[in-house]
Amino acid sequence: MQISLLSPTPPLTPCRSSSTIETPPIRKLKVITPPHPPLSLPKKVSPPLRQLNPLQNFAASLLDAVESSLFVDKLPKTVDPAVQISGNFSPVPECSVRHDLEIIGNLPACLRGVYFRNGANPMHAPTGGHHLFDGDGMIHAVTFHSGNKASYSCRFTRTNRLQYEAALGRPVFPKPIGELHGHQGLARLAIFLARAGIGIIDGSKGTGVANAGLVYFNGRLLALSEDDLPYHVQIKDDGDLETIGRFDFNGQINCPMIAHPKVDPISGDLHGLSYNMIKKPYLKYLRFDMFGKKSRDVDITLREPTMIHDFAITENHVVIPDHQVVFKLFEMVRGGSPVVFDPKKTSRFGILPKSGVDEKGIVWIEVPNCFCFHLWNAWEETGGNDEKSIVVIGSCMNPPDSIFNDRDQPLRIELTEIRMDVKNRKVTRRVFGSGMNLEAGQMNRRFVGRKTRFVYMAIAEPWPKCSGIAKVDLETGKVKKFLYGEGRYGGEPFYVSENGNCGGDNENEDGGFIVGFVRDEKRERSEVVVVKAAEMEEVAAVRLPVRVPYGFHGTFVSEEELNGQARN
């Protein structure tokens, strides 16, 4: 997840190919990856660096000197590289495809396709603060073949930002969360704008890192973070990955899209949001039909710019959170972070009809003291007297801004049902798995926007590591756990239907399998585990040839879907 305030070290050696970007070890950190000699980006994906005239060279040298003179104060743990990029959070090099991996057990027949997981993997050592969300996007891909075989690869998403920094050999784009704090943040922003002004870099073609979400839509795998357009990443026949470039839906959008767009499993439409932290309208709703044609573009009025990382859809509505973590750029002038918790604001959800052409039909319902970084599903329920409720399943965090700012209070993340009576605007809540931190989860995507019984959540303990998976029954409230074992940690579990992504309407909601990356920190071994959702028991594991860091969100693309992949 990235937040953009920007206007429109040697790298690591790859496992095999020499035509790849490489990643450096982070300075002054205890990292697993050993140092490697530097390599450069292949010319075909390098940005056009212009030759500078003598005056530009002098200005560039002056800016470098000013930047190197910036003193890094003692950093809070939320932006301290020694905390944020240590152990299995430290970066790894790219790895070209490795075939014939060791399989423990038998891979289910429905796992024919590729499981992808995105994450933050900084290419260069940070020169200042660094937040876990600041790293460059890297996608890890595990291809499940017939005959109980699997292969693995990982590649950087070649964003505009990454290509410039790789060509220059150092970071030049400020890290929005880790560095843009207080007066030093303003100084770094000014240096960046000055470099852009004299032509060293071009931020107009994107400043994002594409490290958070993944969605497969209309034959394209899209990597997303909310500070840029999506990036189209092509899946090659051998399981390798290649960045095609920023994707503007064939010229239909020129604004960022948040990390979690939603594909309606019935209509095939893609729904998305775009927020702007500087100018009005602060929020925009986007809708594309199954063929990628934009059919909705609705401006939504907010009182102040709000961080909206996720949202939800129902059969007929879009559910938009407007919560208490907001952007206040003036806080940088006062020495603070621009991402703040506003206790004077009352959290609310907006219920917008999918068919609406403007914001007039939106209904806002206040839900005090609620901050959901992620929403897992939502649906509609009807009752007597024409009563209609919108039910939202989300993970509510408290303190709300604790992942951005240091807090003395321990972080609590509660899986919560929020039931909103649209007519009377009354709200009730129900917490599942009380006492457990439940974040980073999935449900059967065949039921997106429809009533769901099961969700599969990461047990986010000890935070920010995840010790297992919790299958939560939303009808009975019962929780069934699958624990990875001592010294073993994972991340977001991903549910794959028993019929791939093409299950029928009558399929069992928990008849599929859960996949996810796991790191055994004692044995220093990474693998993908496959768990039968009904019994929550492991049926297979794929041993991986390299270390896979903890990351963010993923998706599964079936063989059938790959056959319809767009080639541009």
Side-chain angles (χ1 to χ4, degrees), residues 193-211:
L193 295 175
R195 282 176 173 147
I198 64 175
I200 298 175
I201 53 177
D202 182 4
S204 67
K205 296 179 181 178
T207 62
V209 288
N211 67 11

Side-chain angles (χ1 to χ4, degrees), residues 372-435:
C372 292
F373 198 52
H374 292 108
L375 303 177
W376 309 118
N377 201 19
W379 62 85
E380 303 161 16
E381 291 188 5
T382 57
N385 300 320
D386 294 326
E387 292 180 358
K388 181 168 69 175
S389 294
I390 301 293
V391 181
V392 176
I393 307 297
S395 290
C396 295
M397 288 187 171
N398 188 44
D401 62 340
S402 56
I403 58 176
F404 301 106
N405 300 301
D406 273 349
R407 293 288 184 179
D408 294 331
Q409 183 180 346
L411 175 64
R412 294 287 303 278
I413 311 174
E414 296 181 324
L415 182 66
T416 306
E417 175 191 275
I418 303 167
R419 185 176 293 268
M420 295 174 283
D421 181 335
V422 178
K423 181 179 180 181
N424 300 307
R425 309 208 182 179
K426 293 182 179 180
V427 178
T428 59
R429 304 190 214 191
R430 180 187 181 193
V431 173
F432 301 92
S434 180

Side-chain angles (χ1 to χ4, degrees), residues 294-309:
K294 185 158 70 73
S295 56
R296 290 288 181 274
D297 193 345
V298 178
D299 293 339
I300 298 172
T301 302
L302 300 179
R303 302 183 187 98
E304 55 189 332
T306 302
M307 193 203 73
I308 302 176
H309 180 66

Side-chain angles (χ1 to χ4, degrees), residues 64-97:
D64 291 346
V66 171
E67 184 178 48
S68 64
S69 70
L70 293 177
F71 176 75
V72 179
D73 296 320
K74 183 178 180 180
L75 296 167
K77 63 183 181 181
T78 52
V79 293
D80 184 352
V83 176
Q84 295 290 309
I85 326 174
S86 62
N88 197 45
F89 290 98
S90 61
V92 295
E94 287 191 323
C95 185
S96 55
V97 182

Side-chain angles (χ1 to χ4, degrees), residues 12 25 31 33 47 71 128 145 161 174 182 188 220 250 286 289 508:
L12 295 178
V31 294
T33 307
F71 176 75
H145 306 279
R161 175 190 188 117
R188 291 184 184 276
R220 293 178 177 88
N250 298 317
L286 309 169
D289 67 20
N508 294 327

